[in-house]
Amino acid sequence: MSDSLRIIISGGGTGGHIFPAVSIANAIKALRPEAEILFVGAQGRMEMQRVPAAGYEIVGLPVRGLIRPLWSPKNIGVALDYLKSLRQVRKIVNDFKPQAAVGVGGYASGATLDAAARLGIPCLIQEQNSYAGVTNKHLAKKASKICVAYDEMERFFPADKIMKTGNPVRQNLLDTKLTREEAIKTFGLDPTKKTILFVGGSLGARTINESILRRLDTIRKSDVQIIWQTGKYYNAKINEQLAAVEPIVNLIATDFISDMGAAYKAADLVISRAGASSISEFCLIGKPVILVPSPNVAEDHQTKNAMALVNRQAAMIMKDSMAPNELLDLALETVKSDGKLKSLSMNIKKLALPDSAEIIAKEVLKLVKSE
């Protein structure tokens, strides 16, 4: 093994874990170009494709999440896979010999940082949400530093280890040079009209999609334009439904948007789930947003994420159960109010924490020096 800097980064499962992980890796490489970085993920999860696409090596563990209810016999297999993952990751750590380990949440990070800490390797945790995940709470005692994005995280972690850094975001969102007019034209829409972006993540959000499907006639008669990321899971069925009705020229539906920087630039208002990474992006670009927290997440943490903004008049919120019938009306009303859009934009930008990836990367390098 060479004497170069070696860092393990582990986590994934969702884009909300993967984007920060890759951003941290990029920041470490910017500071120390000779650094060797190895990712550890969970087999079959999206990090196994996204991380290599970003130019980094990744190894996968058979680790997976607990099945509800917890007394399910299937959890015997989950436990056995975790033990198998621990054995595998100990060998990975012994072979790679990292000088620090970074965990961003997700199934794999628990086993990886547990193994690293047992071998005396300093560990850093990056917690994206306002309500700490089970894995990170478990790892807190073993971590040397815990980087967070919200206040009052002493509820979950030792106060002397916490550093408020914010969440790293996708750099291409900040680097886009397009004007609003140019961005709207890339979608074939009219720059003179107000535009709303509905986005539910790479897989989609059923409730957000339903809020549009139920009101196609309202959208057709509106003078507002809509860019709609349906998500890959729902796209085929949605295309069938759209093909069966009169064309709606002010509605652009697509399963995936490759240039989210352009999409955000085009939008006067965004409708989104309340994942921590998405919220951090909205803060940095100062984008007015209506958040629809997913009810299908641990400890209802997306509602807690959203309320941290709503309580500062920096975002609006729509309950998931109410969205199919009420979300579109709220969106159309809000996007037509320049005063409301300006207020939301100003307040959300006040919450931005820029340069998060670089700050976290520097903390990782401090851990290496303090070995």
Side-chain angles (χ1 to χ4, degrees), residues 78-96:
V78 174
L80 292 174
D81 281 343
Y82 185 78
L83 292 174
K84 183 179 179 182
S85 296
L86 277 178
R87 290 193 297 270
Q88 289 186 11
V89 80
R90 283 173 192 152
K91 185 178 187 308
I92 292 168
V93 172
N94 274 319
D95 290 346
F96 186 65

Side-chain angles (χ1 to χ4, degrees), residues 20-189:
V22 171
S23 294
I24 293 168
N26 290 342
I28 292 172
K29 292 289 281 186
L31 293 169
R32 296 283 297 273
E34 85 285 4
E36 296 178 35
I37 298 176
L38 176 65
F39 279 77
V40 180
Q43 292 173 2
R45 305 291 289 186
M46 63 191 298
E47 60 264 27
M48 301 306 295
Q49 287 76 45
R50 295 288 179 87
V51 169
Y56 295 100
E57 181 184 355
I58 186 170
V59 291
L61 304 176
V63 65
R64 50 200 174 102
L66 289 169
I67 297 167
R68 307 284 180 176
L70 293 179
W71 45 260
S72 169
K74 294 180 180 179
N75 280 324
I76 296 173
V78 174
L80 292 174
D81 281 343
Y82 185 78
L83 292 174
K84 183 179 179 182
S85 296
L86 277 178
R87 290 193 297 270
Q88 289 186 11
V89 80
R90 283 173 192 152
K91 185 178 187 308
I92 292 168
V93 172
N94 274 319
D95 290 346
F96 186 65
K97 293 181 172 56
Q99 291 132 317
V102 179
V104 297
Y107 304 141
S109 66
T112 304
L113 267 68
D114 193 35
R118 288 174 186 271
L119 293 168
I121 296 163
C123 299
L124 179 146
I125 295 171
Q126 200 263 322
E127 172 58 60
Q128 294 99 32
N129 292 292
S130 60
Y131 194 96
V134 173
T135 297
N136 280 348
K137 284 191 284 188
H138 166 72
L139 293 170
K141 291 181 181 179
K142 302 172 183 178
S144 302
K145 180 70 69 174
I146 303 171
C147 297
V148 302
Y150 292 89
D151 294 322
E152 301 177 3
M153 297 302 285
E154 298 85 357
R155 294 174 294 161
F156 312 108
F157 305 128
D160 60 334
K161 296 183 179 181
I162 293 174
M163 180 177 185
K164 188 178 179 183
T165 59
N167 288 323
V169 303
R170 293 171 283 184
Q171 192 61 38
N172 64 331
L173 300 182
L174 307 178
D175 291 343
T176 181
K177 298 295 190 291
L178 294 175
T179 64
R180 175 183 177 275
E181 179 177 349
E182 289 169 341
I184 289 177
K185 285 182 177 178
T186 66
F187 290 94
L189 295 173

Side-chain angles (χ1 to χ4, degrees), residues 212-349:
I212 295 179
L213 287 171
R214 290 190 184 185
R215 304 293 301 279
L216 294 177
D217 282 341
T218 300
I219 294 170
R220 184 184 289 107
K221 296 172 184 176
S222 170
D223 59 353
V224 172
Q225 302 172 137
I226 289 177
I227 301 170
W228 178 18
Q229 181 184 294
T230 63
K232 293 183 179 180
Y233 183 80
Y234 300 97
N235 191 61
K237 186 174 181 180
I238 286 173
N239 281 339
E240 289 179 10
Q241 292 174 271
L242 292 177
V245 301
E246 180 184 339
I248 308 173
V249 295
N250 56 333
L251 174 66
I252 300 297
T254 180
D255 64 332
F256 180 74
I257 298 174
S258 57
D259 188 351
M260 285 303 299
Y264 285 153
K265 182 71 76 170
D268 298 289
L269 175 69
V270 177
I271 313 300
S272 173
R273 288 302 199 192
S277 291
S278 295
I279 286 177
S280 295
E281 291 172 355
F282 302 143
C283 291
L284 283 168
I285 61 179
K287 188 59 59 175
V289 61
I290 299 174
L291 297 168
V292 187
S294 170
N296 306 312
V297 294
E299 306 289 351
D300 195 27
H301 70 254
Q302 285 205 3
T303 296
K304 297 176 176 69
N305 290 348
M307 291 308 299
L309 273 66
V310 173
N311 290 336
R312 293 169 174 80
Q313 291 77 51
M316 301 174 72
I317 190 170
M318 170 65 67
K319 193 173 180 180
D320 185 82
S321 61
M322 300 169 64
N325 292 323
E326 300 183 22
L327 179 58
L328 183 67
D329 287 336
L330 178 63
L332 292 175
E333 176 186 347
T334 302
V335 81
K336 293 176 182 178
S337 172
D338 290 336
K340 184 66 174 178
L341 295 177
K342 183 177 180 180
S343 174
L344 288 171
S345 179
M346 288 176 57
N347 290 338
I348 199 170
K349 202 153 193 177

